[in-house]
Amino acid sequence: MKSTKHCIELESKYGANNYKPLNVVLTKGSGIWVEDVEGKKYMDFLAAYSAVNQGHCHPRLVKVFQEQGAKLALTSRAFRNDQLPEFAKELCEATGYQKMLPMNSGAEAVETAIKAARKWGYKIKGVEDNKAEIIVCGGNFHGRTVTIISFSDEAQYQDGFGPFTPGFKIIPYGDIDALKNAITKNTVAFMTEPIQGESGVVVPRKGFLKEASELCKENNILLIADEIQSGLGRTGKMFASEHENVKPDMTIIGKALSGGMYPVSAVVSSEEILGVFNPGDHGSTYGGNPIACAVAREALNILKDEKLIEKSAELGEYLMDKLKNINSPYVDFYRGKGLWIGIVLKKDAGGARKFCENLQDKGILAKETHENVIRIAPPLTITKDEIDEAFTIIKKVLTT
Ligand SMILES: *Cc1c(COP(=O)(O)O)cnc(C)c1O
């Protein structure tokens, strides 16, 4: 039998040390539940950073994945396949955009949006060659490629990885005056997470996204929303931008687009913007492959059929109310939307890691982010009873 110790030793010996996971080795999952190699069961309160919104190993996703895998897995885009056209149509209809471009990881979709915005800037807005600027926010997380970390303000993400890609400006998150001041004639886009995930579920001041959207329109600048983590129901809306009635020019989607079954990401936008790409400009061997498309179609159907977006809104509010009524000596405050909650601990609480380890002991897997925030993000398939069960444990951990 594989033991936890054996797995950890093997991984440490042969795997690069680029993560510091909790010391739990999972082998099975179903819905919100996962099981480790010792047979202990946990509630998953991270859901793979919101990739598993539809729950682990959703039977409908497993079925489609197996069937499509046995039928046709990969053609590359040198040939056409019969799943991509249906996926393209359904994704555009579900998101209210005209066109989509499929990729695999979130970072690739962010890169795609950056390329589209730059090319739009040169070919349509008329920015002078190689002068395009994109404005982003402090505390952002958009992925790990060299270009993307070029505009991270997290020192560790950059340390040792230069030289960096130029053409980006960072403003404080939520600061509309800073955005105004950062705009020049060369600005092609403002890219932001409507709610910052990796920063610890940081919700900007109400009205910020709306004002930013208007500012972008006035200045002929594209608004790009990175909804890779915040999208597809996590905040109780299809997209977090909807909380401010904002329709970004481009929206970037990933993670839950496949319900955790397969890496699938996409950029959705208008004819004008995605129309800047010509054959040969951009692509990916696996992007838009039949398995990815079939799985993503089903993952979108599940969101709708199981009313997961509405459930996120309802149960998120229910859990937030309960949390706010805990009288914890460790908690500074709570923030978030839908089933996406950051528990911000006081400076002297000793860091979030030990609370996550305590939760793990008691059967809940959650992950600290930025030292002092516990992020709560269970699969959206969670039931009210399961929330009550989890709440009892969370309360115990936050009060003893
Ligand atoms: C996870 C994430 C990404 C990167 O996605 P990967 O699939 O890990 O490359 C980008 N943006 C946001 C907001 C994310 O949460």
Side-chain angles (χ1 to χ4, degrees), residues 283-302:
S284 156
T285 303
Y286 276 82
N289 75 71
I291 295 184
C293 294
V295 167
R297 291 176 69 193
E298 194 67 348
L300 289 172
N301 286 335
I302 293 168

Side-chain angles (χ1 to χ4, degrees), residues 49 105-108 110 141-143 193 198 226 228-229 255:
Y49 302 94
S105 67
E108 285 173 304
V110 171
F141 182 84
H142 297 286
E193 300 152 87
E198 293 317 291
D226 180 347
I228 291 170
Q229 194 165 156
K255 297 204 164 104

Side-chain angles (χ1 to χ4, degrees), residues 308-327:
L308 295 184
I309 300 172
E310 295 83 344
K311 266 189 69 183
S312 174
E314 219 168 278
L315 292 179
E317 200 178 308
Y318 175 72
L319 178 57
M320 183 67 107
D321 280 348
K322 284 173 84 93
L323 287 170
K324 282 183 171 164
N325 280 312
I326 300 178
N327 200 353

